[in-house]
Amino acid sequence: MSKNIAVFGTGYLGATHAACMAELGHEVIGVDIDKAKLAKLEAGEVPFFEPGLEEVLRRNISAGRLQFSDSYEEAARFADVHFIGVGTPQKTGEFAADLTYVNAVVETLAPMLNRPAVIFGKSTVPVGTAQRLGDRARELSPAGEAVEVAWNPEFLREGFAVQDTLHPDRLVLGIDRERPGRAEEVARQVYSAILEKDVPFIVTDLATSELVKTAANSFLATKISFINAMAEVCDAVNADVTVLADAIGHDARIGRRFMNAGIGFGGGCLPKDIRAFMARAGELGADQALTFLREVDNINMRRRLRMVEVTRDVMGGSLLGARVAVLGAAFKPESDDVRDSPALNIAGQIQLQGASVTVYDPKAIKNSRTQFPTLNYASNSIDACRGADVVLVLTEWPEFSNMVPEEIEPHVRNRVIIDGRNCLDPTQWESSGWEYHGVGVPTLGRRTDVDVRTQ
Ligand code: UDX
């Protein structure tokens, strides 16, 4: 059954959700306060890089199922189903999440709701937020108790946002157990095309649904920091973390996915979500339960520092005057997102130690320039590598992992490459005469001259 849906927020989450809900056959209005962003979306342009999203957006605008507006009145008149998809960034100077935007949606929308409506929150929020927003919405709305707030966390990954929204591995819905209302029935109608394909649908209370999201991201962050901690140990004994990950990954209880050692996790979600989770646990008096997340965060941040140290070491102990090529700026491939990007963070630290750093990324140069205007930017790998004393690969875009030494060899000053994502074949580079350094993988010289059994 087709629904009239409003989606508040048109960032990575909101724009994708709005376009995908239209793709499922619903009538959708995407709402934002940023007029420039709305103008782009109305013209069928996605304001960020997300594979496949532009096609879905254009198809549904042309079909007349998808429109955009900055008017909450229009959204309240048009829709009975509302999704909150605005950001919950980290507060400046604190670990906690900044709920300004989520609160603003409810404060603005609820007074305009004069007939029964369901508001589904999708943003990642501290546990307890949904209950509070529900109370507030009922207080502000002329429809009172007929306005429901439910929570429907989003698990999409950037780079796979359309696929993850249309073919999720599960749907989770938190409803107010005191006032069950129509939220579950409405969610089943909204997602009927997905549920028909036997996607697991977990209906629970509000608090559990909020925790599912933060727990999932904490687990993923822990998995990455676990393998990065193993990489540190491997480095100490010249062992190979990639082989280790492959070997333990065969155990189905462990699994190989999300166990790639490297410069660690970044982006707009994992770092701030584990911090917000720690902050919330502190407020709830359960901070001891999550002290391990501080270590997860520490291991992750240590990766960035370590990469700077390795670069300094290969330069003979000082970065002053060194020419460093950085390939990759986005926090991961298939994205132009540089929020808390380990690659850019490392590039910035190296520059601050006196090196001249030139960065190239296939999609993230524009965003990088805004965040780090003092770095040099090149428009391709060869230009970035021109005259370089050392080349760093910091985001595993296919054009870097498929790169062969001959491509950049004539342009560099020294044949030294540091692979921050373990995405290159060490043998290929070493047999071409390059000095290769990975993360938790032995280097050529050390591979033969150290025998782990004798340590
Ligand atoms: C994440 C979650 O995966 C998603 O479910 C949630 O909805 C939002 O947060 P995203 O931020 O898009 O998604 O990125 P993700 O693919 O999870 O990668 C996060 C970071 O971890 C990246 O910087 C990536 O490079 C790094 N990573 C990932 C590793 O260092 N090693 C790995 O094995 C996997």
Side-chain angles (χ1 to χ4, degrees):
M1 189 201 298
S2 163
K3 292 272 175 202
N4 281 13
I5 293 176
V7 179
F8 297 87
T10 58
Y12 289 96
L13 165 58
T16 308
H17 194 68
C20 289
M21 290 304 100
E23 183 78 1
L24 292 179
H26 302 296
E27 304 289 322
V28 182
I29 183 167
V31 185
D32 206 300
I33 49 174
D34 183 339
K35 289 202 168 113
K37 217 189 245 180
L38 292 173
K40 277 200 162 180
L41 288 163
E42 272 169 345
E45 279 171 49
V46 177
F48 46 87
F49 177 69
E50 184 57 53
L53 182 54
E54 201 145 280
E55 290 77 3
V56 180
L57 179 79
R58 290 189 174 174
R59 185 161 55 239
N60 286 285
I61 292 175
S62 306
R65 284 191 297 266
L66 179 58
Q67 48 173 321
F68 292 93
S69 171
D70 65 348
S71 164
Y72 273 66
E73 284 94 350
E74 196 183 341
R77 257 194 323 272
F78 174 80
D80 301 307
V81 180
H82 303 273
F83 282 96
I84 305 177
V86 293
T88 52
Q90 187 176 337
K91 273 187 187 167
T92 316
E94 280 182 55
F95 268 14
D98 180 353
L99 297 177
T100 312
Y101 307 113
V102 169
N103 292 340
V105 172
V106 171
E107 294 289 325
T108 317
L109 176 67
M112 297 172 186
L113 297 177
N114 47 26
R115 55 181 200 271
V118 183
I119 303 174
F120 293 101
K122 293 204 79 66
S123 311
T124 304
V125 291
V127 58
T129 305
Q131 189 68 55
R132 177 176 61 75
L133 292 176
D135 292 344
R136 190 72 184 135
R138 285 186 293 277
E139 196 177 302
L140 292 172
S141 165
E145 289 287 322
V147 172
E148 294 173 44
V149 170
W151 220 258
N152 173 218
E154 182 55 61
F155 303 101
L156 66 78
R157 297 159 298 167
E158 288 178 24
F160 300 91
V162 172
Q163 157 81 13
D164 285 352
T165 308
L166 293 176
H167 306 281
D169 42 22
R170 79 290 208 191
L171 287 169
V172 174
L173 179 69
I175 54 175
D176 188 342
R177 293 287 192 206
E178 307 278 298
R179 307 172 183 77
R182 296 181 310 123
E184 181 179 344
E185 179 195 331
V186 172
R188 285 187 185 278
Q189 289 163 352
V190 169
Y191 294 124
S192 62
I194 295 173
L195 294 172
E196 271 168 20
K197 294 178 200 141
D198 288 335
V199 169
F201 185 41
I202 295 133
V203 182
T204 181
D205 57 89
L206 291 173
T208 306
S209 70
E210 293 166 314
L211 284 171
V212 166
K213 176 61 194 276
T214 27
N217 276 359
S218 300
F219 192 85
L220 294 172
T222 305
K223 208 170 175 192
I224 298 170
S225 278
F226 172 82
I227 203 66
N228 280 331
M230 294 305 111
E232 288 185 27
V233 181
C234 284
D235 267 336
V237 291
N238 293 326
D240 191 328
V241 74
T242 308
V243 176
L244 182 146
D246 290 345
I248 62 174
H250 282 297
D251 184 333
R253 293 169 302 173
I254 297 174
R256 179 63 177 84
R257 291 179 71 192
F258 250 69
M259 270 209 309
N260 295 323
I263 55 173
F265 58 82
C269 296
L270 297 192
K272 63 112 177 148
D273 286 350
I274 61 169
R275 292 176 192 154
F277 199 15
M278 284 186 266
R280 185 63 182 139
E283 288 167 8
L284 297 168
D287 41 341
Q288 272 201 330
L290 298 187
T291 47
F292 76 97
L293 284 180
R294 186 171 272 278
E295 198 45 41
V296 165
D297 207 351
N298 274 331
I299 295 168
N300 193 51
M301 297 317 267
R302 206 152 64 220
R303 289 287 85 204
R304 303 178 184 191
L305 212 59
R306 182 75 195 124
M307 192 51 40
V308 179
E309 284 166 4
V310 171
T311 313
R312 200 174 48 220
D313 288 351
V314 302
M315 290 309 305
S318 169
L319 285 164
L320 262 185
R323 291 175 73 109
V324 180
V326 168
L327 303 183
F331 84 108
K332 67 172 191 181
E334 305 306 329
S335 170
D336 63 355
D337 196 347
V338 296
R339 285 177 295 173
D340 203 358
S341 164
L344 264 192
N345 181 307
I346 290 163
Q349 288 191 58
I350 290 176
Q351 191 204 31
L352 286 173
Q353 295 196 19
S356 161
V357 181
T358 306
V359 181
Y360 165 65
D361 186 283
K363 295 286 174 199
I365 296 288
K366 191 162 159 261
N367 288 341
S368 304
R369 264 188 213 282
T370 318
Q371 219 173 76
F372 278 88
T374 57
L375 292 168
N376 306 317
Y377 292 97
S379 50
N380 55 59
S381 301
I382 290 174
D383 283 346
C385 291
R386 238 177 258 291
D389 295 307
V390 54
V391 177
L392 270 61
V393 177
L394 299 183
T395 311
E396 69 278 34
W397 283 97
E399 71 172 80
F400 304 146
S401 40
N402 295 332
M403 187 169 72
V404 292
E406 293 72 37
E407 272 177 61
I408 54 168
E409 207 158 284
H411 311 286
V412 298
R413 197 149 68 182
N414 282 319
R415 285 181 289 173
V416 184
I417 192 152
I418 305 180
D419 180 4
R421 294 290 184 179
N422 288 351
C423 63
L424 304 172
D425 174 5
T427 319
Q428 186 186 25
W429 287 81
E430 286 167 345
S431 59
S432 297
W434 283 70
E435 182 182 326
Y436 171 92
H437 298 266
V439 175
V441 293
T443 53
L444 185 63
R446 292 159 79 208
R447 233 178 257 157
T448 46
D449 57 26
V450 178
D451 183 347
V452 177
R453 285 167 302 178
T454 64
Q455 296 275 305

